[in-house]
């Protein structure tokens, strides 16, 4: 446990020293921002091992010594899950029909969590109930592997239940995440095509709070040389945006320098010209005029700015966000100018990428934990079953035990998780084709992972048995 805490602290330490770009999403976790929550990170790294130890100690069932050394059938617990699961499944799938429209999504999310949380217990109960039947079949047919697997499942199904729970949760998270991503597909494709066409040469930065001309100047210097930051006077009630600048800035853009607003239909800057065309297509007209930029900045509660380079090069959204967060305010909005009308400035793209990153991260953690648990269990099983290889004269028994006690329950868990995930996602406006493709892919990946863990565990147990020698103990 202490080693795990140290490893966790070592894994998060780099974010306090260097800027860490996150994969999939166009986001950089900057070290100064991470250092502002150093105390919270330290508390999480130190408190998590303590919380895990407390949970293990407090939730550990009371030990009741038995009168025999043979594995004994335990009284089944948690029968309430078997009764509550169908109620939760039906409530998740059909409960929204009886709720107001604004509550249906929340009810679906809550029901999905409850249903997926109950499913491992149901699958574990089914697997444990199948253990005696497997043992009888193995004894009747003289199959040592089937007999041992059945006895182990009947006497102590907890290790398999943990593996089943990991598979169910991983498949449920992956299926839910990818199906939710598919809901953004149409908007994402439109936003992606727009982003490809517009490029990033012209950005729009919106501050979360009011600012001052001095801070705007610092923001422009932070962006680097050859950059222009022009205030925007946005009037959504009239469907227009005014670019307020001095004559030098307007002349550099080949825009007439006049005190009265000039309706811009085209611009010399390619990126700005395409953005203006997109704004006009969405019903927003873009004007330019000379004026006091300081007045526009000071009188606007959430000022917006046009950011571009003199040479028209493509800009880094991450760098612009960092400069804005450093000099203007925190959590500023930075996106390509002209994408306001489609998905909130590229919101589908952002949501899809973050959802994909978080779901992949969660599934990876669950897979690693499940793999380590299965590996440790088979290391212990290798020592316990070592005499069996001597009696049977064949180490293939480990592969048979692994196939029946790990691979078969994993297959049942995968099928149950896919069927339940299909059911609880029926209320979502996703096509059956997308859901079927997603769940089939996720289910196949889960089964492959389970097969690899079963093979790995069997080989480990066989290797441990090869070194076993009888002892007086």
């Amino acid at each position: 446990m202490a080693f795990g805490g140290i490893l966790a602290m070592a894994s998060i330490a780099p974010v306090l020293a260097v800027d860490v770009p996150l994969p999939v999403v166009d986001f950089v976790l900057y070290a100064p921002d991470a250092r502002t929550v150093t105390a919270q990170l330290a508390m999480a790294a130190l408190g998590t091992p303590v919380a895990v130890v407390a949970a293990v100690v407090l939730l550990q069932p009371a030990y009741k010594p038995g009168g025999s050394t043979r594995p004994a059938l335990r009284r089944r617990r948690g029968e309430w899950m078997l009764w509550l699961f169908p109620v939760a499944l039906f409530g998740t799938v059909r409960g929204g029909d009886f709720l107001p429209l604004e509550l249906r999504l929340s009810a679906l999310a809550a029901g999905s969590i409850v249903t997926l949380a109950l499913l491992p217990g149901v699958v574990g109960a089914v697997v444990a109930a199948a253990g005696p039947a497997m043992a009888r079949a193995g004894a009747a047919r003289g199959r040592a592997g089937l007999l041992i697997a059945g006895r182990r499942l009947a006497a102590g199904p907890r290790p398999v239940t943990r593996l089943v729970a990991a598979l169910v949760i991983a498949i449920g998270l992956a299926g839910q995440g990818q199906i939710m991503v598919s809901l953004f597909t149409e908007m994402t494709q439109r936003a992606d095509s727009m982003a490809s066409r517009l490029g990033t040469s012209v950005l729009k930065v919106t501050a979360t709070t009011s600012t001052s001309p001095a801070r705007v100047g610092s923001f422009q210097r932070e962006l680097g040389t050859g950059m222009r930051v022009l205030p925007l006077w946005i009037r959504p009630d009239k469907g227009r945006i005014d670019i307020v600048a001095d004559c030098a800035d307007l002349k550099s853009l080949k825009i007439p320098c006049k005190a009265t607003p000039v309706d811009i239909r085209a611009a010399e800057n390619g990126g700005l010209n395409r953005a203006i065309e997109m704004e006009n297509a969405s019903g927003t007209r873009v004007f330019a005029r000379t004026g006091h930029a300081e007045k526009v900045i000071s009188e606007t509660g959430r000022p917006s700015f046009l950011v571009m380079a003199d040479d028209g090069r493509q800009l880094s959204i991450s760098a612009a966000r960092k400069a804005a967060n450093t000099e203007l305010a925190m959590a500023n909005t930075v996106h390509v100018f002209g994408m306001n009308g489609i998905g909130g400035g590229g919101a589908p793209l952002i949501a899809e990428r973050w959802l994909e990153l978080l779901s992949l991260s969660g599934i990876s953690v669950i897979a690693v934990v499940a793999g380590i648990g299965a590996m440790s269990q088979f290391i212990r099983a290798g020592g316990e079953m070592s005499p069996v290889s001597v009696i049977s004269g064949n180490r293939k028994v480990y592969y048979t035990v692994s196939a029946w006690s790990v691979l078969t329950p994993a297959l049942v868990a995968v099928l149950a998780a896919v069927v339940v995930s299909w059911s609880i996602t029926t209320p979502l406006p996703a096509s059956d084709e997308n859901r079927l493709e997603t769940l089939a892919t996720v289910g196949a990946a889960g089964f492959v992972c389970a097969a690899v863990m079963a093979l790995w565990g069997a080989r480990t147990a066989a290797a441990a048995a090869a070194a076993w020698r009888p002892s007086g103990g």
Side-chain angles (χ1 to χ4, degrees):
M1 190 65 65
F3 175 75
I6 295 173
L7 184 62
M9 295 179 67
S11 63
I12 64 175
V15 303
L16 304 176
V18 297
D19 299 337
V20 179
L22 300 181
V24 182
V25 295
D26 183 18
F27 186 85
V28 178
L29 179 59
Y30 293 104
D33 297 336
R35 284 194 289 269
T36 60
V37 293
T38 302
Q40 291 88 329
L41 290 175
M43 291 176 60
L46 297 175
T48 301
V50 175
V52 171
V53 171
V56 170
V57 173
L58 296 176
L59 300 179
Q60 181 70 22
Y63 172 69
K64 296 180 180 180
S68 172
T69 58
R70 294 188 61 188
L73 294 177
R74 297 180 181 179
R75 189 179 63 179
R76 288 181 296 176
R77 298 178 181 179
E79 288 87 352
W80 58 272
M81 291 187 181
L82 301 177
W83 297 99
L84 185 58
F85 174 76
V87 177
L89 180 60
F90 178 79
T92 302
V93 177
R94 306 301 303 177
D97 298 341
F98 307 98
L99 295 175
L101 184 61
E102 61 272 11
L103 296 179
R104 291 182 181 178
L105 185 59
S106 300
L108 178 62
S112 299
I113 294 173
V114 173
T115 304
L116 291 177
L118 293 173
L119 182 58
V122 175
V123 176
V126 172
V127 171
M134 293 170 58
R136 288 193 297 268
R141 299 182 180 183
R143 302 288 180 86
L146 183 57
L147 172 62
I148 295 172
R151 290 290 188 185
R152 292 182 64 85
L153 289 177
R158 287 183 180 176
V160 176
T161 302
R162 288 194 292 266
L163 177 61
V164 166
L167 284 173
V168 169
I169 294 173
I171 292 174
L173 286 176
Q176 292 280 333
Q178 293 304 312
I179 290 172
M180 291 297 293
V181 167
S182 70
L183 298 179
F184 293 104
T185 300
E186 183 179 353
M187 290 189 298
T188 299
Q189 290 175 349
R190 295 174 61 194
D192 197 13
S193 62
M194 283 183 55
S196 300
R197 181 174 183 273
L198 293 176
T200 59
S201 60
V202 183
L203 303 180
K204 179 185 174 185
V205 177
T206 302
T208 53
T209 60
S210 59
T211 186
S212 64
R215 283 186 172 274
V216 175
S218 301
F219 169 54
Q220 183 170 355
R221 289 189 293 271
E222 183 72 16
L223 290 172
T225 58
M227 299 294 297
R228 295 186 184 273
V229 178
L230 309 179
L232 297 176
W233 183 262
I234 302 176
R235 305 168 71 179
D237 56 329
K238 295 187 177 181
R240 62 180 287 176
I241 298 175
D242 288 8
I243 302 175
V244 183
D246 55 27
C247 283
D249 290 328
L250 293 179
K251 288 180 179 179
S252 67
L253 299 174
K254 308 299 183 182
I255 297 175
C257 178
K258 295 183 179 180
T260 57
V262 177
D263 191 355
I264 306 175
R265 294 294 182 178
E268 293 291 331
N269 184 292
L272 180 59
N273 186 57
R274 290 188 293 271
I276 291 174
E277 291 178 355
M278 196 65 65
E279 290 286 356
N280 292 335
S282 64
T284 301
R285 299 172 64 186
V286 180
F287 295 82
R289 61 181 173 87
T290 59
H292 297 287
E294 296 81 1
K295 183 179 179 182
V296 175
I297 295 170
S298 302
E299 293 181 353
T300 306
R302 295 189 60 187
S304 297
F305 305 94
L306 199 67
V307 177
M308 65 180 69
D310 291 337
D311 56 4
R313 66 179 181 273
Q314 301 297 305
L315 306 178
S316 170
I317 296 179
S318 298
R321 184 182 293 110
K322 177 185 178 182
N325 292 343
T326 302
E327 302 297 340
L328 297 179
M330 291 299 296
N332 302 283
T333 302
V334 181
H335 56 72
V336 176
F337 182 58
M339 291 190 66
N340 302 15
I342 302 295
L349 283 171
I350 299 172
E352 178 184 4
R353 291 168 181 172
W354 275 104
L355 187 58
E356 183 178 358
L357 175 64
L358 294 177
S359 62
L360 288 176
S361 301
I363 294 165
S364 300
V365 171
I366 293 172
V368 170
V369 172
I372 294 175
M375 187 66 182
S376 62
Q377 175 62 24
F378 270 100
I379 290 175
R380 290 191 296 269
E384 296 172 359
M385 295 190 299
S386 295
V388 177
S389 62
V390 177
I391 297 173
S392 64
N394 189 351
R395 286 191 293 170
K396 291 183 179 180
V397 66
Y398 297 107
Y399 294 92
T400 306
V401 173
S402 176
W404 283 106
S405 62
V406 175
L407 192 59
T408 301
L411 177 59
V412 174
V414 168
L415 292 177
V418 169
V419 172
V420 171
S421 297
W422 172 274
S423 301
I424 62 180
T425 54
T426 50
L428 294 175
S431 65
D432 292 345
E433 181 180 355
N434 286 338
R435 291 194 298 135
L436 180 61
E437 180 181 358
T438 298
L439 293 175
T441 303
V442 171
F447 182 72
V448 170
C449 291
V452 171
M453 286 190 292
L455 179 61
W456 187 16
R459 290 177 63 89
T460 303
W468 176 81
R469 295 294 182 271
S471 61

